[in-house]
Amino acid sequence: MDEKPQRFEKLDREGIGTSSMSRQPMYKYLDTETGKRTAIRRLLLKPELQDSFSQSAGLPSLNAAQEEEEDYYGVPCMTIREVSLLKVMNHKNVARLLHVEPDNEERFLRLYLEYAGVDLTTFFKENPIWASDPKVTKDLLKQLLHGVAYYHSVDAVHGNLRPHNVLIDIDSSKVNVQYNLLITNLQLLPDTLQSNYKAPELLLGSKELSPAADMFSVGCLFFEMLKKKPLFETRHDQIDKLFRLMGAPNEDNWPGVTQLYGKKLSEYRQLKPKNLSKTLFLSDVEPAGVHLLSKMLCLNPNKRITAADALKHRYFADVDPKQQPKTTITATASSSASTSASVNP
Amino acid sequence: MAGYSSGDVSHHGTYEGGPDKHSQDKPEDGGRWYFFRKEIEDNSPSRRDGVDLKKEAYLRKSYCTFLQDLGMRLKVPQVTIATAIIFCHRFFLRQSHAKNDRRTIATVCMFLAGKVEETPRPLKDVILVSYEIINKKDPTAVQRIKQKEVYEQQKELILLGERVVLATLGFDLNVQHPYKPLVEAIKKFKVAQNALAQVAWNFVNDGLRTSLCLQFKPHHIAAGAIFLAAKFLKVKLPSDGEKVWWQEFDVTPRQLEGWRSSQPSIVVHDYARIN
């Protein structure tokens, strides 16, 4: 049946976890056309599979439109929006969509996403010396923020920022070792079941994925880059730990919070914010870094620092722009006038 | 390639046929969707199936009118209608009118555009309204589509069509329109803002129904529409100071003149008649 030429060759030795959909091990593939490595993300083509999928992946329904999907039929909105966005996204810190095809039964759409290097956790494990260099941490965070800022500039949110979805490619062929960071979005078990990179508003029951929620995840990843361990080890007491650290949300630091999540908050009322540097053992980190971290972990999503502002934070002030890989962010990245555009005579 | 199979569609997601790509644009610009007029007119799949240029122009106008009507009855914004029209134009760049019913494809495009532009309409509404418009002259049609069998058959057709359209468009569903650059540019002018906006807006809408949007990018169409509107209204656009207005659109006067000559003169006449 399968007549298409084998563009993608499975790299059997390179497993990258377990798929949340099929529960089969996931592999990397070699794209013989571009020579790039890729990994597959699968999206639903049929809405009736939605429920069982959400449950098995431990994912909340993403928004109201998706819940009503049954009424609309056809290919789910989320699938259509995600693929159409990925198709136009073009940024050096975001994994490119190399190819799209339906599976044989037309139940899923296979997205072949660029894959390079290793994920963040593996990078720490394999390169302990580089990983503990503050300069590398700063460079990686900057690239991560560039990628996330790009997502937000095209009105997209990532919604699933975790170490597994952050890839680091090391290029040691140059005099100065280069680290290239790539944000991807693969569904993997068992990590998908854990929500320990989720923003407090999501933990409290909000279903709205937002740029601010992404930034909280970036904060968690920043901590992980600094300390080589997750900020929140387990899922079940994350909210508890977070409030013990940042203090309980109240009407002063988060206007409207009682109305939104009142009942769930009563038991935390007494908690006061702690000194991050002491509590998280960050004395070896420069104060500007701790300050930036606190802005990312800000409880109130409306006050949390944006990716664009984080890039202007003084933590990055000492970075020599000449040594940095050039990453340009333009607000109209998807529609900007390209200078190479040709117009008919 | 396994997957999307349907009697009518002989090409799939990674379709390579159709008019030749002339542009050196990167994919993110949707560069693969812009062609020279000659390419569009000479190489269309419909032409190979014996549908002549005049007939195809008629069919194109016909599905545009249909989509405008359908969109208004479904109460979707103009942007959604415009997106549906672009989907339809692009579909028939790669597929033949002889093998695909234009109104079925148009209905699918509206259903998809609703989802892409975040103004989804339930499939049921889309089917009922579309069936009603298609069978305008048949007073029994309204009742007929409410029968389960007829409805189910129509639903299957549209859902199959959705896969075919998605594969033909290669999931390039992120469409930009000239409206936004148009409005933003006119805001900066100090003269005749309202009149310019209205006339230029109408030119854009008229252009949508022709193959113009397969030849020019949205910001170029916006620039062309402003250029034409200014001529039409005999308004002089700012051309001194630090920046000449068209520079923002990354076009040159020569391109604007070229655009003008490719704009069907009928558009200008129509507009003159209405006003």
Side-chain angles (χ1 to χ4, degrees), chain B residues 5 12 22 58 63 71 76 83 100 108 110 112 125 135 157 183 198 226 250 272:
Chain B
S5 54
H12 304 291
H22 70 70
Y58 161 76
Y63 67 66
V76 296
T83 300
N100 296 277
V108 169
M110 179 59 75
L112 264 178
D125 293 5
N135 299 286
L157 186 65
V183 171
Q198 204 185 347
I226 291 172
D250 184 30

Side-chain angles (χ1 to χ4, degrees), chain B residues 13-24:
Chain B
T14 48
Y15 182 86
E16 301 293 342
D20 297 325
K21 181 178 158 174
H22 70 70
S23 152
Q24 291 304 306

Side-chain angles (χ1 to χ4, degrees), chain A residues 82-229:
Chain A
E82 175 142 15
V83 181
S84 60
L85 263 171
L86 277 170
K87 279 225 114 172
V88 294
M89 287 179 93
N90 178 25
H91 189 272
K92 71 179 286 284
N93 298 120
V94 177
R96 280 178 179 75
L97 178 59
L98 300 172
H99 183 66
V100 189
E101 66 181 23
D103 70 344
N104 291 339
E105 293 106 49
E106 296 206 5
R107 290 163 70 235
F108 299 106
L109 207 55
R110 280 199 213 112
L111 312 190
Y112 289 83
L113 291 163
E114 184 184 1
Y115 198 104
V118 294
D119 68 51
L120 193 63
T121 313
T122 314
F123 172 74
F124 292 154
K125 235 180 265 168
E126 290 178 355
N127 308 283
I129 296 170
W130 283 337
S132 54
D133 180 347
K135 274 188 194 149
V136 174
T137 302
K138 197 174 281 197
D139 179 27
L140 291 181
L141 179 69
K142 199 171 185 200
Q143 294 191 46
L144 177 64
L145 283 167
H146 274 299
V148 172
Y150 176 75
Y151 258 90
H152 298 166
S153 75
V154 297
D155 292 330
V157 288
H158 186 284
N160 195 15
L161 286 166
R162 302 175 297 116
H164 254 123
N165 283 331
V166 176
L167 310 176
I168 317 281
D169 194 19
I170 307 162
D171 179 1
S172 50
S173 64
K174 310 228 168 79
V175 182
N176 296 319
V177 179
Q178 298 263 327
Y179 308 90
N180 294 314
L181 179 145
L182 205 55
I183 300 173
T184 186
N185 194 354
L186 301 166
Q187 291 147 342
L188 299 158
L189 274 183
D191 304 67
T192 343
L193 285 172
Q194 300 171 12
S195 55
N196 38 2
Y197 296 87
K198 266 193 190 148
E201 64 270 21
L202 297 174
L203 293 169
L204 288 168
S206 164
K207 295 203 166 147
E208 196 199 344
L209 294 177
S210 65
D214 276 351
M215 285 309 292
F216 186 87
S217 309
V218 172
C220 297
L221 289 168
F222 183 23
F223 176 85
E224 204 156 332
M225 289 174 181
L226 293 169
K227 302 303 284 183
K228 315 295 172 290
K229 61 171 191 183

Side-chain angles (χ1 to χ4, degrees), chain A residues 75 87 90 106 338 343-344, chain B residues 28 36 115 162-163 170 172:
Chain A
V75 179
K87 279 225 114 172
N90 178 25
E106 296 206 5
S338 148
V343 172
N344 291 344
Chain B
E28 66 273 14
F36 288 118
K115 293 196 258 193
E162 184 177 35
R163 304 297 177 90
D172 286 342

Side-chain angles (χ1 to χ4, degrees), chain B residues 18-87:
Chain B
D20 297 325
K21 181 178 158 174
H22 70 70
S23 152
Q24 291 304 306
D25 297 330
K26 294 175 196 123
E28 66 273 14
D29 290 316
R32 77 199 90 171
W33 290 108
Y34 295 95
F35 304 94
F36 288 118
R37 184 171 167 180
K38 196 171 157 32
E39 290 177 299
I40 297 168
E41 292 183 352
D42 294 355
N43 303 346
S44 101
S46 300
R47 201 76 64 258
R48 278 179 238 141
D49 284 339
V51 179
D52 67 26
L53 188 63
K54 211 174 146 197
K55 176 80 175 167
E56 187 167 8
Y58 161 76
L59 294 171
R60 188 181 289 133
K61 259 208 146 130
S62 157
Y63 67 66
C64 288
T65 313
F66 172 81
L67 279 170
Q68 189 69 39
D69 194 8
L70 179 61
M72 280 159 72
R73 291 197 203 197
L74 287 168
K75 297 193 172 64
V76 296
Q78 184 61 32
V79 169
T80 305
I81 297 176
T83 300
I85 290 177
I86 304 267
F87 286 171

Side-chain angles (χ1 to χ4, degrees), chain B residues 215-251:
Chain B
Q215 301 172 54
F216 301 95
K217 294 190 168 179
H219 59 281
H220 293 141
I221 293 189
I226 291 172
F227 178 79
L228 277 182
K231 284 218 155 180
F232 183 80
L233 294 168
K234 301 198 168 59
V235 173
K236 199 171 177 300
L237 293 173
S239 58
D240 46 70
E242 9 183 288
K243 220 180 172 189
V244 185
W245 71 272
W246 39 258
Q247 280 180 345
E248 287 198 29
F249 293 102
D250 184 30
V251 291

